[in-house]
Amino acid sequence: MSIFSAGQNDSRIVVHRPHTDAAGQHYRQVDFFGLEVGRAYGTEDVKALMVRCGMDPELLDQPGVVEWFGGGPEIWDERA
């Protein structure tokens, strides 16, 4: 069991607003319980980061689990 899955639900996964990297690819920074865990270039990356952090990726669509800033899971281009 991950130290992050010990029943804490007040600090969710945060997916920050879209950015563009040096190669021109759009990504969103992902935090888990206040810790930066990586970049996601699509929702599958968010799910992979959830697994890495000990969470069930099926929770991605559950209300209150993931907080999206700068648009929901369909927005990856900062110009959108």
Side-chain angles (χ1 to χ4, degrees):
M1 173 185 278
S2 166
I3 61 169
F4 299 111
S5 60
Q8 301 177 17
N9 8 354
D10 48 298
S11 303
R12 293 166 290 284
I13 296 166
V14 174
V15 181
H16 294 276
R17 66 182 181 81
H19 295 281
T20 304
D21 67 14
Q25 294 184 328
H26 305 293
Y27 73 92
R28 297 174 81 163
Q29 183 61 45
V30 179
D31 296 348
F32 186 69
F33 291 105
L35 299 173
E36 185 177 306
V37 294
R39 289 181 176 182
Y41 291 87
T43 53
E44 291 304 311
D45 293 334
V46 176
K47 289 180 179 182
L49 288 167
M50 291 173 74
V51 169
R52 191 173 104 195
C53 293
M55 286 191 74
D56 180 353
E58 297 302 315
L59 295 174
L60 180 72
D61 298 323
Q62 293 295 315
V65 175
V66 179
E67 192 169 356
W68 297 85
F69 289 96
E74 69 285 348
I75 304 295
W76 292 90
D77 186 336
E78 63 191 304
R79 297 169 292 183

